[in-house]
Amino acid sequence: MTTGSDSNAVAGGPARHIPVLARHAIERLAVKPGGLYLDATFGAGGYTRAILQTANTHVIAIDRDHAAIAQGAALAEQVHGRLTLFEDRFSNLETIAGGASRFDGIVFDLGVSSMQLDDPARGFSFRLDGPLDMRMGSDGPSAADVVARAGERDLAAIVARLGEEKHARAVARAIVRARASRALDSTRALAEIVAAAVPTRQVAIHPATRTFQALRIFVNGELAELAFGLAAAERALKPAGRLVVVSFHSLEDRIVKTFLAERSRRPAGSRHRPEITAPPPTFRVLTTRPQTPDASELAANPRARSAKLRAAERTDAPARAVSVEHLLPPLPGLAEIMRGRP
């Protein structure tokens, strides 16, 4: 997530936004002259600009948002071949890397960007009315499609598991009741329905916040993207390459924490199966506890309040052929919902 104005001169000119925990992220990447780095979520290019300040560095940047890639074209031209942009999902970063362990560092900045939140046409926020879209890319079903097609049970599961909303059943029931008489295809319409269904005493947090978060994560498959992106990063990093992940949601942070814990320790054998050969660790964790924004950053950027940074260094052990599906919460399938799951 990127936000705020940046008055510092950086490669390609002043950045329109800066990423949360930028200084810590760049320090953890340990950027070196001539290195090759991957910015898995380009956004407004804040991390990329910071990396390019080091002499002769090259960055490959990915974003599934066409607008972000289009806006990055000017920077790519200004740095004369040191930046290559791909409009793609970061779960495909291994393909983008050409299947080789070639990166000195990979950084993930998860969640939705301020550019997306502040554009009512994207439908991420109910602060300004707009179409209920929420797609980070331009393909696939929108949030309005899910709200229109999902059954009450599936809606409740999505809102409860991805939004951690205690009143998920009431929210789902209210949505199903309301859509029987009118289309819920705008952010304001959905926010009003949810607000009426969720009792709250928290003045600072709108009662629809968790539901909107849940729908956004679901529509974009964000948790699966993260899990598969981490596994791809393991294969794409050089030995001693750095992995840095900034997350904004407890479910995201849990996936990152669990992935790094699994990859940084040797699975314990037992006296009953002493013949088991444990695979060597593929990462060395650099952050025993996540780094969080300090008071000055929070004062300048309240949206940074939930940010957590975790970092690790790649060992020279072969990448593990281990599934990451176990990192994901059980959820209804988006394709099943659109087909009309019974």
Side-chain angles (χ1 to χ4, degrees):
M1 178 185 290
T2 57
T3 189
S5 62
D6 184 6
S7 60
N8 296 322
V10 292
R16 180 180 168 191
H17 292 69
I18 57 173
V20 173
L21 293 168
R23 178 174 59 83
H24 295 297
I26 298 304
E27 287 175 354
R28 290 296 185 181
L29 277 177
V31 180
K32 59 186 181 182
L36 177 64
Y37 296 86
L38 187 137
D39 185 347
T41 42
F42 178 71
Y47 286 129
T48 289
R49 285 180 168 88
I51 293 167
L52 290 172
Q53 286 184 327
T54 299
N56 300 319
T57 49
H58 289 72
V59 175
I60 292 176
I62 305 170
D63 206 298
R64 64 199 290 187
D65 189 330
H66 176 75
I69 296 299
Q71 291 176 19
L75 174 61
E77 183 177 350
Q78 290 165 9
V79 297
H80 307 295
R82 294 171 58 204
L83 169 62
T84 304
L85 296 166
F86 285 91
E87 185 178 339
D88 207 333
R89 297 168 180 255
F90 56 64
S91 58
N92 295 327
L93 70 85
E94 187 181 11
T95 301
I96 293 169
S101 300
R102 56 185 299 211
F103 291 105
D104 295 289
I106 297 176
V107 59
F108 292 82
D109 181 18
L110 306 177
V112 63
S113 74
S114 290
M115 293 186 301
Q116 293 167 328
L117 282 172
D118 295 339
D119 182 356
R122 303 299 299 274
F124 286 103
S125 172
F126 45 77
R127 185 172 58 86
L128 298 171
D129 194 23
L132 189 61
D133 193 319
M134 299 194 192
R135 292 174 296 176
M136 291 181 176
S138 58
D139 59 335
S142 67
D145 294 326
V146 173
V147 166
R149 299 292 295 275
E152 183 175 325
R153 181 186 63 181
D154 285 341
L155 279 172
I158 291 166
V159 174
R161 291 168 188 161
L162 299 183
E164 299 179 314
E165 171 59 72
K166 295 179 181 179
H167 304 284
R169 291 184 179 179
V171 169
R173 190 161 49 247
I175 289 173
V176 170
R177 187 185 305 120
R179 76 186 186 192
S181 57
R182 62 188 175 106
L184 301 180
D185 53 7
S186 75
T187 56
R188 184 165 296 164
L190 179 61
E192 290 173 352
I193 295 300
V194 176
V198 176
T200 182
R201 296 180 180 177
Q202 294 179 301
V203 178
I205 301 176
H206 192 283
T209 299
R210 294 184 178 88
T211 296
F212 269 65
Q213 174 181 273
L215 287 170
R216 188 205 83 218
I217 292 173
F218 183 73
V219 164
N220 294 291
E222 292 178 38
L223 299 186
E225 280 291 304
L226 172 58
F228 287 102
L230 292 172
E234 179 185 47
R235 295 186 289 271
L237 279 167
K238 293 178 180 177
R242 296 289 185 90
L243 173 66
V244 175
V245 185
V246 178
S247 64
F248 294 85
H249 187 279
S250 60
L251 294 178
E252 295 171 342
D253 182 60
R254 193 175 308 152
I255 289 172
V256 178
K257 178 181 178 180
T258 303
F259 176 84
L260 292 179
E262 292 176 352
R263 297 305 209 268
S264 63
R265 65 169 179 256
R266 296 177 182 271
S270 71
R271 62 188 178 87
H272 302 291
R273 301 186 67 186
E275 74 283 359
I276 292 179
T277 301
T282 56
F283 281 100
R284 179 175 68 88
V285 174
L286 302 174
T287 48
T288 53
R289 292 184 179 180
Q291 291 181 275
T292 55
D294 59 22
S296 61
E297 182 165 5
L298 289 175
N301 175 20
R303 287 176 177 170
R305 66 185 179 273
S306 60
K308 292 182 178 180
L309 182 152
R310 295 186 186 272
E313 184 177 75
R314 187 71 168 84
T315 69
D316 59 3
R320 296 183 186 178
V322 179
S323 170
V324 293
E325 282 86 350
H326 67 285
L327 299 174
L328 304 174
L331 289 168
L334 180 56
E336 292 175 333
I337 285 176
M338 298 314 297
R339 285 197 302 265
R341 170 173 162 144

